[in-house]
Amino acid sequence: MTARPALPAHRLLLGGIALMSTAALMTGCAGPATTAAPVDPATQVAEAAALAVPPEQDDPDAVAGGTLRLSSSQDPACLDGHQVSSAALQLLGRLYYDNLVSLDATGTPTPWLAESWDISEDGRQYTFHLKDGVTFSDGAKLDAAAVVANFDHMADPATKSPLAAAYIDPIESTEIVDDLTLKVNLEYAYSPFLYVLAQGWLGLDSPKQIAEDPDGICLAPVGTGPFVVEEYTPGEGLTLTKREDYAWSADYLNHEGAAYLDRIEISFVAEPAVRFSSLTSGEFDATDNIAPQNAAAVKADPAITYNNISRIGNPQRITLNTARPPFDDLKVRQALALGIDTEGIAAAVGFGEYEPRHAFLSPTTQYYDAAAEEDWTYDPEAAAELLDEAGWDETDAEGYRVKDGTRLTAEFPVTETAAPGSLNDLIQSELKKLGVELKLIQLPTAEATERRRNGQYDIGTGVWHTNTPDALYVVYASGEITSKQRIGQNTARIADPTLDETLLKARQTTDPAELEELYTSAQEQLAELVPAIPLYDFYTPWAVRENVHGVLADSSHGVPLFTLAWLGQ
């Protein structure tokens, strides 16, 4: 048995998807507000699932060969999923990595490198049975020892894992039964376990590379995936080539053998307008992160297919620091929830592409509670009454509320390097209508990060994407508040014992009925506590040209999956 010490937390305030950073999400100034017809949550779920459904068998018209040219908005700066929290690994990781587990189009855990697994009655022991004959592209064999090496690599303090280590933290020990059988013992019944193992950041590195060249994984990771990293130039691009002997794609894909594409050439293009124009001109075959202001033009182009998928996890939100004034006062938080026009914000920044969200989970997340949407109503008059009740019943010459001679002010630290954010400006404008002064404080990145970690802020914005409703634990459990010992994701710094108990119980059960009850309760509690104000769904918008066939939406992340992709005329 290999016992593992408790994992030190090397979590960043950027976890997978940027947290507390609106400027990076918004591009350009908001134009005229365009309000789209409301989309039924069930429709969003069905549409997302439909894009992830593979053919029942390989497409008989599929043609092998060719080079796919892709423009991508983000360079992860390191290609090792264990060492980064970059959103880019959701797409890139599927090219050169495989995972123990996959999620099918319905979001159900299904076999991948583990052909099956057994779960003990108490939910604390998982026995994985690995596929035979799988190899890494350097010739190393996939066996139980290789999986243990990967868990240890994620947990190793030297890896400084900001994400993968946190997700496997409940692992207490591992036991190699035989070459193809591994037992994993957990500290408690961890209901998200199979789901997190399916995420792009938890793909498996070669045990040989981990042992002999751990520093080289960032630039040239060796996985078991359908493509091999040929060349990576940070800040510029990435080239991958097909692995001819690949024969173990996720079971739900119904695919035998290697990928169809010979090569994938990825260029990192940060500017949305450039990605848009180069896609429409045919310079690239596909692109990710289509800006909402370009969506209408892309959808109108008959040569392009556009997809915009609501991500699993938390919606885009305004985070309120509940640990210090003025947002330690529940009535003030409730006033903002009622007094901010979230529908107007969604329309302004989303150009009709963003669905307003009033719940703490996106509708594509398991156990999302549609009834939670009813707890939020735009009512500026009721908001004003709450602020009066909280003692902010006078105004100064500039129209801001005051109490005991002090103006009602909130600070929002943003980085100097970020582009101007229309969302920031809209939030500032909405708060001014309520008589709240929002100070946007531009700081060097290091200083802004330090202030966030120390709790020296009042407002932030952000999302948290993960493929399980455990996103609520990650963002709102009191143990996730940043401290001297760890960097956590509870930037609202909410510490409520009842909520903690609910979220921990949800982690410790695998019974669907109990999980639904617990997550419904958690969403209700969050609506009462108001640690944040949900704004709109967070999306994965991407597009491919008509010559690209067989692209699916990845079932965990919504990003394009190119395992079955092929090029036609």
Side-chain angles (χ1 to χ4, degrees):
M1 176 177 292
T2 303
R4 292 176 42 245
L7 296 176
H10 295 286
R11 307 190 193 183
L12 303 178
L13 287 173
L14 297 177
I17 306 298
L19 187 63
M20 294 186 72
S21 176
T22 40
L25 296 173
M26 298 299 109
T27 54
C29 296
T34 303
T35 304
V39 178
D40 178 68
T43 301
Q44 286 182 278
V45 174
E47 290 177 347
L51 292 170
V53 175
E56 294 184 0
Q57 59 187 16
D58 287 345
D59 188 340
D61 296 325
V63 177
T67 298
L68 178 84
R69 300 159 301 167
L70 169 71
S71 65
S72 182
S73 62
Q74 186 179 16
D75 175 6
C78 172
L79 300 181
D80 181 12
H82 303 174
Q83 298 186 52
V84 300
S85 58
S86 169
L89 261 292
Q90 297 164 28
L91 185 156
L92 298 181
R94 296 301 191 226
L95 300 176
Y96 48 83
Y97 281 145
D98 291 326
N99 291 61
L100 283 176
V101 179
S102 183
L103 301 188
D104 66 14
T106 68
T108 303
T110 56
W112 196 347
L113 295 182
E115 63 181 10
S116 64
W117 48 83
D118 306 309
I119 306 174
S120 63
E121 187 173 344
D122 66 1
R124 293 184 57 190
Q125 186 178 82
Y126 286 67
T127 302
F128 293 98
H129 305 280
L130 306 179
K131 288 183 179 178
D132 193 9
V134 177
T135 59
F136 294 85
S137 58
D138 62 0
K141 179 183 178 181
L142 173 75
D143 55 17
V147 179
V148 172
N150 271 268
F151 286 153
D152 289 344
H153 182 246
M154 296 174 200
D156 187 344
T159 304
K160 298 182 179 180
S161 173
L163 194 67
Y167 282 141
I168 66 162
D169 185 60
I171 295 180
E172 189 171 54
S173 64
T174 56
E175 180 183 352
I176 297 174
V177 179
D178 57 43
D179 275 2
L180 297 177
T181 309
L182 174 67
K183 287 186 178 180
V184 178
N185 302 301
L186 304 176
E187 293 180 16
Y188 51 82
Y190 178 42
S191 60
F193 189 46
L194 292 176
Y195 294 84
V196 299
L197 291 179
Q199 296 196 47
W201 300 278
L202 282 85
L204 301 186
D205 287 315
S206 164
K208 180 179 179 182
Q209 188 178 32
I210 290 173
E212 299 177 2
D213 184 27
D215 294 337
I217 303 177
C218 265
L219 293 179
V222 175
T224 65
F227 296 92
V228 177
V229 175
E230 178 181 284
E231 182 179 8
Y232 169 50
T233 305
E236 295 184 14
L238 170 66
T239 300
L240 305 106
T241 56
K242 175 168 68 176
R243 185 171 175 191
E244 296 288 352
D245 62 346
Y246 185 76
W248 42 80
S249 58
D251 284 18
Y252 87 97
L253 292 177
N254 306 319
H255 175 68
E256 300 291 337
Y260 295 112
L261 297 168
D262 283 340
R263 294 168 63 86
I264 298 179
E265 295 178 353
I266 301 173
S267 298
F268 301 127
V269 182
E271 177 53 53
V274 177
R275 291 198 306 279
F276 164 66
S277 61
S278 58
L279 176 71
T280 56
S281 69
E283 180 182 351
F284 290 102
D285 303 302
T287 191
D288 64 7
N289 287 333
I290 294 287
Q293 59 264 40
N294 299 136
V298 171
K299 287 189 285 188
D301 191 327
I304 298 174
T305 298
Y306 170 79
N307 299 292
N308 192 36
I309 301 170
S310 173
R311 296 195 185 201
I312 302 171
N314 294 295
Q316 175 72 36
R317 66 188 184 274
I318 301 171
T319 302
L320 306 175
N321 186 348
T322 64
R324 73 177 201 173
F327 301 127
D328 59 345
D329 188 330
L330 177 59
K331 286 188 176 181
V332 177
R333 301 199 301 272
Q334 291 173 331
L336 265 62
L338 293 173
I340 292 177
D341 182 7
T342 55
E343 279 79 3
I345 288 177
V349 301
F351 291 80
E353 294 298 308
Y354 292 172
E355 184 72 12
R357 186 59 50 216
H358 303 299
F360 283 83
L361 287 175
S362 69
T364 49
T365 307
Q366 193 175 25
Y367 306 120
Y368 157 80
D369 180 21
E373 303 283 349
E374 300 172 5
D375 294 327
W376 303 80
T377 303
Y378 178 49
D379 190 342
E381 291 184 3
E385 291 177 5
L386 283 168
L387 289 173
D388 287 344
E389 293 174 13
W392 300 97
D393 53 358
E394 298 180 0
T395 57
D396 61 18
E398 294 182 58
Y400 293 110
R401 289 177 175 265
V402 295
K403 180 168 64 173
D404 300 328
T406 301
R407 178 180 286 185
L408 181 51
T409 301
E411 295 183 349
F412 183 0
V414 296
T415 59
E416 293 176 336
T417 56
S422 60
L423 179 54
N424 298 354
D425 297 335
L426 288 166
I427 295 171
Q428 188 178 52
S429 176
E430 288 294 310
L431 292 186
K432 186 173 184 179
K433 293 176 186 177
L434 294 173
V436 182
E437 179 185 33
L438 179 61
K439 294 181 178 179
L440 299 173
I441 303 173
Q442 286 197 313
L443 299 169
T445 300
E447 186 176 347
T449 300
E450 188 66 20
R451 285 191 59 164
R452 292 165 187 162
R453 289 179 179 175
N454 293 336
Q456 296 176 336
Y457 57 87
D458 300 310
I459 278 185
T461 54
V463 297
W464 183 270
H465 157 71
T466 185
N467 61 0
T468 155
D470 191 56
L472 294 182
Y473 182 95
V474 174
V475 174
Y476 297 113
S478 63
E480 297 295 310
I481 297 174
T482 294
S483 65
K484 292 181 179 179
Q485 289 73 38
R486 57 173 301 158
I487 298 173
Q489 304 299 337
N490 183 349
T491 54
R493 306 179 84 83
I494 189 74
D496 183 84
T498 303
L499 178 63
D500 282 347
E501 182 181 4
T502 302
L503 294 174
L504 185 58
K505 282 183 178 179
R507 276 199 153 192
Q508 296 178 343
T509 181
T510 55
D511 178 72
E514 187 175 357
L515 282 167
E516 182 171 9
E517 180 180 343
L518 288 167
Y519 279 120
T520 297
S521 175
Q523 291 170 81
E524 291 173 348
Q525 291 175 56
L526 286 165
E528 294 172 0
L529 293 168
V530 200
I533 301 170
L535 294 175
Y536 47 81
D537 287 340
F538 186 58
Y539 296 92
T540 299
W542 49 274
V544 298
R545 293 189 61 82
E546 60 186 348
N547 63 311
V548 184
H549 307 274
V551 181
L552 302 177
D554 177 74
S555 47
S556 282
H557 306 303
V559 296
L561 181 70
F562 295 106
T563 306
L564 307 182
W566 55 280
L567 298 176
Q569 298 297 320

